[in-house]
Amino acid sequence: MTDNVRELRPRTPDTEKVTINLGYVDLGQVDLMVQEGFYSNRTDFIRTAIRNQLERHADVVKQSTARKSLDLGLRNYARVDLERARRDGEMLHINVLGLATIDQDVTPELARATIASVSVLGALHASPAVKAALADRTR
């Protein structure tokens, strides 16, 4: 029965992997906090530290998001959306804080015909061909 189950649309991951370098003493202190039971693992410690810093600077983030007219969260650009923009003679300016996704069936030609600029703080998911086509429009 499970042989008949197919994923119709690839699932977008909820997180983006980030690699950081830490000094040995800092890493040792993180491991000590994990060992003492304050955190379940290194990732839990680092996520908590990041959330605390973001909460500490929440006003700055909020003001900058508004000043830069950023869409906050997850934003998807489907082929049908871009075809509509091309039909309407509209050029899109993608300004996202979070995750911007351009669907895999969007061609590089369609992307160049409809996307004037791309500014993403976070992650941009698109095919390598679309990313290459928009490279000169990406900040």
Side-chain angles (χ1 to χ4, degrees), residues 29-121:
Q29 290 175 333
V30 170
D31 287 344
L32 181 63
M33 298 300 286
V34 170
Q35 196 175 52
E36 292 295 317
F38 288 95
Y39 302 94
S40 60
N41 53 42
R42 291 174 174 176
T43 299
D44 182 28
F45 177 91
I46 293 168
R47 283 184 179 151
T48 301
I50 290 170
R51 287 184 186 122
N52 287 341
Q53 283 299 103
L54 290 172
E55 185 177 314
R56 185 174 167 196
H57 299 288
D59 288 341
V60 172
V61 170
K62 187 176 180 180
Q63 291 169 6
S64 294
T65 301
R67 187 180 68 247
K68 295 180 178 186
S69 300
L70 296 169
D71 287 339
L72 181 63
L74 308 177
R75 183 74 164 94
N76 179 256
Y77 298 89
R79 185 181 56 145
V80 65
D81 299 329
L82 299 182
E83 288 173 343
R84 184 180 315 113
R86 179 169 57 190
R87 192 174 48 249
D88 294 345
E90 181 182 342
M91 292 295 285
L92 304 177
H93 297 274
I94 296 175
N95 293 312
V96 173
L97 188 157
L99 172 63
T101 304
I102 300 173
D103 282 352
Q104 293 295 309
D105 61 350
V106 172
T107 65
E109 296 77 21
L110 180 59
R112 284 196 65 82
T114 56
I115 299 172
S117 65
V118 179
S119 178
V120 177
L121 299 171

